[in-house]
Amino acid sequence: MTLLNATKQKWIVVGFACIITWIIVDWTGASKYVAEHKAQLVNSDAFQMSSNLDEIDGDELRQRIKKAADEKREAPINARIDRVWKAVPGYNGLEVDVEASYAQSSKLPKGTPLKLVYRETKPEVTLADLPIEPIYRGNENKPMVAFMINVAWGNEHIEPILKTLKDHQVKTTFFLDGSWVRRNPELAKRITEEGHEIGNHAYTHPNMAQLSEGRQYVEMEKTEREIEKQLGMRSIWFAPPSGSFNSLTVKTAQQLKMRTVLWSADTIDWNTPNEPGTIIQRVKPKLKPGVLVLMHPTAATSKALPTFIRMAREQQLEPGIVSEVLSEKRVIPNQLGNKLR
């Protein structure tokens, strides 16, 4: 009996101790800590697993983009002095911006094509770095051409030429004789209002090579003053009348912050003013990337211009102003479907 009572008392003491321990643990918040700690461990493990998966996917995506970048990179081309074409502009390179492409592509569902973002890269030597030389063409890798229209006469054909350019959404460069601007300010304004570029074509259509340095300066500077007065702008390109120039011409134009520009394809439309077929055949074999086509406001040019534009675009050449054709800025083919940054 004594032994039984002793055993009973022992279990009562053990039970009472367990109750006290549970109360103490709960009261101190230890259970809450343990629960939170366990939850943190679970969450930490889940996060680590998710992170690892993202990291693997991200590395694979980045490697794909880097591979595409290596395949699609095109190095920039330096400007140069050519034996025939004199000063030839450079051409920007093209490369994939890996980080921007990753940011764009990582937002897309798996299995969709990469969203590549491109950027241009500058050549080490640009047109501005070259010695002062005339320019006959743009870079042969640039898929653009310019129709240079020298204006000193032929007003009756300017309206239909402007209409053709507007209908085909083409901008070009008109080189204006200073005395013509003085006589035809409204028509000159119409040309600029329609978004075309204006160049300097001297004041009296002289043979520049036969003039003194001082006289050449007057011809160019007087035209610039007239253009500024009537149109509120200044030119950056000088086209010598009849293509007559010498080293003084190029130097004088440079003093007036202009580059001397000539042509790489000549319609000779002034010699056959009513024969569009003749001038089309002259230009057709020469219509290549970077070419500057010389023309005047003649009946033949007015009739041939739609064909010139069509021929250019059939060869994936986009007509534009002289400044665009001679710039280093890259033309991105439509099939790339990505915007430059």
Side-chain angles (χ1 to χ4, degrees):
M1 194 65 182
T2 304
L3 182 60
L4 181 60
N5 288 338
T7 302
K8 252 181 180 184
Q9 288 177 356
K10 178 181 176 183
W11 283 110
I12 290 170
V13 170
V14 170
F16 184 75
C18 287
I19 292 170
I20 294 298
T21 302
W22 178 83
I23 291 172
I24 293 171
V25 168
D26 186 64
W27 181 75
T28 59
S31 61
K32 184 177 180 181
Y33 169 79
V34 170
E36 288 180 352
H37 184 62
K38 285 182 178 179
Q40 287 176 359
L41 288 175
V42 170
N43 290 337
S44 177
D45 290 341
F47 176 79
Q48 188 63 44
M49 289 174 63
S50 175
S51 241
N52 288 340
L53 288 173
D54 287 346
E55 186 178 341
I56 292 170
D57 289 345
D59 283 346
E60 182 182 354
L61 176 60
R62 197 179 296 276
Q63 289 304 316
R64 287 177 59 202
I65 292 172
K66 287 181 178 179
K67 182 179 178 182
D70 291 339
E71 293 172 351
K72 295 179 180 295
R73 182 179 181 277
E74 294 188 38
I77 301 170
N78 285 334
R80 69 186 191 278
I81 298 295
D82 185 84
R83 182 175 60 84
V84 175
W85 300 114
K86 304 305 178 184
V88 178
Y91 193 42
N92 285 353
L94 185 68
E95 66 180 24
V96 173
D97 186 324
V98 174
E99 293 307 317
S101 298
Y102 178 80
Q104 292 291 323
S105 299
S106 62
K107 299 174 185 177
L108 302 175
K110 290 183 179 180
T112 57
L114 296 174
K115 180 67 174 178
L116 299 180
V117 179
Y118 292 86
R119 63 185 175 196
E120 297 188 29
T121 54
K122 298 287 186 180
E124 293 181 2
V125 181
T126 69
L127 193 61
D129 299 322
L130 298 180
I132 302 172
E133 292 281 358
I135 305 167
Y136 287 81
R137 58 164 304 131
N139 191 281
E140 59 273 19
N141 292 278
K142 187 164 190 174
M144 289 191 72
V145 295
F147 300 125
M148 300 168 49
I149 304 176
N150 290 355
V151 181
W153 37 263
N155 289 13
E156 66 272 26
H157 302 296
I158 292 178
E159 287 283 352
I161 286 174
L162 287 174
K163 184 178 186 306
T164 295
L165 293 170
K166 185 175 182 179
D167 289 345
H168 291 270
Q169 298 182 330
V170 170
K171 306 300 180 187
T172 194
T173 303
F174 287 79
F175 288 88
L176 305 181
D177 176 284
S179 62
W180 182 89
V181 175
R182 178 178 55 79
R183 296 190 307 271
N184 302 278
E186 293 306 314
L187 191 49
K189 288 175 185 175
R190 165 87 181 279
I191 292 171
T192 61
E193 286 169 356
E194 296 199 6
H196 301 293
E197 185 177 40
I198 299 298
N200 187 313
H201 196 46
Y203 197 83
T204 62
H205 207 271
N207 185 328
M208 298 293 288
Q210 295 180 356
L211 302 181
S212 66
E213 182 176 5
R215 183 61 188 167
Q216 290 196 39
Y217 185 91
V218 168
E219 285 284 336
M220 296 183 206
E221 196 274 334
K222 192 173 181 180
T223 298
E224 279 303 286
R225 280 193 284 114
E226 195 65 43
I227 289 174
E228 189 168 24
K229 175 184 175 182
Q230 302 295 347
L231 307 178
M233 63 180 64
R234 292 187 69 85
S235 310
I236 61 172
W237 306 110
F238 173 70
S242 305
S244 172
F245 74 98
N246 55 24
S247 60
L248 288 177
T249 310
V250 180
K251 177 183 174 183
T252 302
Q254 183 76 8
Q255 289 174 351
L256 289 165
K257 299 182 179 179
M258 294 185 291
R259 298 293 295 254
T260 300
V261 60
L262 290 107
W263 61 84
S264 31
D266 190 356
T267 60
I268 319 179
D269 53 0
W270 54 270
N271 195 33
T272 52
N274 298 306
E275 299 176 21
T278 301
I279 66 174
I280 288 170
Q281 291 307 312
R282 285 192 185 119
V283 171
K284 187 175 182 179
K286 298 179 180 179
L287 204 57
K288 300 181 185 301
V291 161
L292 307 179
V293 182
L294 175 63
M295 54 184 64
H296 302 83
T298 65
T301 287
S302 178
K303 294 172 185 175
L305 188 54
T307 302
F308 286 143
I309 295 171
R310 176 181 56 79
M311 288 193 309
R313 285 176 169 164
E314 284 176 351
Q315 297 184 56
Q316 306 300 311
L317 303 174
E318 185 57 29
I321 63 175
V322 168
S323 288
E324 290 175 328
V325 177
L326 299 185
S327 78
E328 277 93 13
K329 184 174 175 58
R330 189 156 189 112
V331 176
I332 307 301
N334 292 332
Q335 59 265 32
L336 285 178
N338 291 289
K339 192 174 181 180
L340 278 177
R341 297 178 68 249

